[in-house]
Amino acid sequence: MTPMKKMLIVIALLLPLQAFSQTFSGTLEAFAFPGSTLVIDGVNYKFDPQIKIYVNDTLAPMDAARANQKVDYKIEVRSTGEKFVSEMRFLLTEAEAEKYIVH
């Protein structure tokens, strides 16, 4: 077996062990920081303790998360198979965003 084939086999075997992420859109229904859980479109998720929350592409504090907001969110699947939300982006009007963005 050539060294290149060996390397391809090793890479193929390691791929399932790596974390990967996908981005989705939905409506945030609930966000509980003490329990590190949230509900988007009726589905319960855990969120990463280092979750990044953006309002109109600006990093915002956790209290920017409110129920009934439209969000783009990134789900990271860990090597253990667990799904975590690692990032949420809220797309708000400028007036709504002013409440949450620190200048």
Side-chain angles (χ1 to χ4, degrees):
M1 187 178 299
T2 67
M4 179 60 105
K5 284 184 182 178
K6 287 180 183 177
M7 185 167 39
L8 290 175
I9 290 171
V10 169
I11 290 170
L13 292 172
L14 291 176
L15 281 177
L17 300 176
Q18 300 299 316
F20 67 91
S21 64
Q22 293 179 299
T23 302
F24 301 93
S25 295
T27 302
L28 179 67
E29 295 175 9
F31 184 84
F33 181 68
S36 298
T37 59
L38 51 89
V39 180
I40 301 174
D41 292 337
V43 179
N44 292 317
Y45 296 100
K46 290 285 188 186
F47 62 85
D48 192 302
Q50 288 81 34
I51 190 169
K52 290 185 172 56
I53 297 177
Y54 295 90
V55 173
N56 293 356
D57 294 324
T58 300
L59 196 57
M62 280 205 179
D63 64 359
R66 298 270 193 268
N68 300 316
Q69 290 178 323
K70 297 290 184 190
V71 297
D72 287 340
Y73 59 103
K74 189 176 286 188
I75 293 178
E76 182 179 299
V77 180
R78 304 281 169 82
S79 60
T80 61
E82 293 177 294
K83 294 180 180 180
F84 285 82
V85 174
S86 59
E87 182 178 299
M88 286 192 297
R89 292 183 178 275
F90 297 96
L91 302 175
L92 306 175
T93 65
E94 290 300 318
E96 291 170 323
E98 284 295 319
K99 296 180 215 174
Y100 307 111
I101 298 174
V102 178
H103 296 282

